């Protein structure tokens, strides 16, 4: 019934596509991914690192949902195996999830196989839910994500990776930043989207300060690991303005 209604609305001339925000992977099942472009959001740090590695010339990225798969692929193909668990380089992998590890000099022309606690897990959940299309977003590629969504005129789910299913501030802020840019062109009947847009409105003057003042949990975790530089980079708009799009197991630049 929902599908029939959705198709009917899409066929109406001038009907705006829908935009929803899923603030946690645990809520993704509430939305119709098969009719939407799903934007995977993991600002700290998976989707910031993905955009950065591709911007710096990585051939493509294979996102995998377990450390074991990452290690296995590393044995089969010539690639860089990387990933984290709980914010630290995962045992058995050579590299972590810091955007600063993926300079042009290091990653240019290489294949990156990446597994992260929340970001790559959510991407695989979206795949299982039959997402029509999957792209990744973060502040470092904010404008290109917003432009793509405007150009596609497709339904959108802004899917926050959060932290182990618990809603987080940074992914909600990014959803709000996207909504601020494209809201006029979408039908937004979704309180989570309104919350995200309002939060971003409050925070946009200084995202780092906002996260600090509000005791953001993963912000605190990364600060405790001495990764302030990573956080500041990940909150900066448009430093790696490319659009990673998922096709046949790979994230590539659109
Ligand atoms: C994740 O996927 O959970 C993160 O990117 C964690 C991190 O490395 O900061």
């Amino acid at each position: 019934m929902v599908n029939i209604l959705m198709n009917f609305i899409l066929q109406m001339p001038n009907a705006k596509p829908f935009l929803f925000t899923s603030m946690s992977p645990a809520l993704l099942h509430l939305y119709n991914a098969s009719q939407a472009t799903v934007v995977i959001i993991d600002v700290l740090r998976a989707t910031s690192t993905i955009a950065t590695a591709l911007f710096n010339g990585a051939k493509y990225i294979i996102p995998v949902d377990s450390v074991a798969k990452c290690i296995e692929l590393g044995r089969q193909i010539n690639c860089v195996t990387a990933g984290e668990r709980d914010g630290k380089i995962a045992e058995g992998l050579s590299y972590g999830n810091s955007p600063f590890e993926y300079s042009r000099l290091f990653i240019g022309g290489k294949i990156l196989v990446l597994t992260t606690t929340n970001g790559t897990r959510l991407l695989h959940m979206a795949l299982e839910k039959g997402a029509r299309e999957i792209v990744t977003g973060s502040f470092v590629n904010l404008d290109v994500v917003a432009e793509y969504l405007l150009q596609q005129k497709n339904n959108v789910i802004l899917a926050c990776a959060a932290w182990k299913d618990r809603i987080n501030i940074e992914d909600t802020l990014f959803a709000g930043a996207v909504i601020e840019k494209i809201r006029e062109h979408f039908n937004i009947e979704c309180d989570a989207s309104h919350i995200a847009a309002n939060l971003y409105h409050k925070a946009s003057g200084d995202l780092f300060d906002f996260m600090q003042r509000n005791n953001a949990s993963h912000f605190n975790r990364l600060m405790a690991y001495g990764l302030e530089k990573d956080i500041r980079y990940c909150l900066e708009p448009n430093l790696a303005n490319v659009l990673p799009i998922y096709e046949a197991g790979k994230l590539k630049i659109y």
Side-chain angles (χ1 to χ4, degrees), residues 34-47:
S34 67
Q35 299 279 343
T37 296
V38 179
V39 183
I40 304 294
I41 302 167
D42 188 352
V43 168
L44 297 178
R45 298 164 291 170
T47 53

Side-chain angles (χ1 to χ4, degrees), residues 42 44-46 84 87 97 116-120 163 218 222:
D42 188 352
L44 297 178
R45 298 164 291 170
E84 58 65 52
N97 189 28
T116 72
T117 313
N118 303 287
T120 56
W163 184 262
H218 195 44
L222 294 179

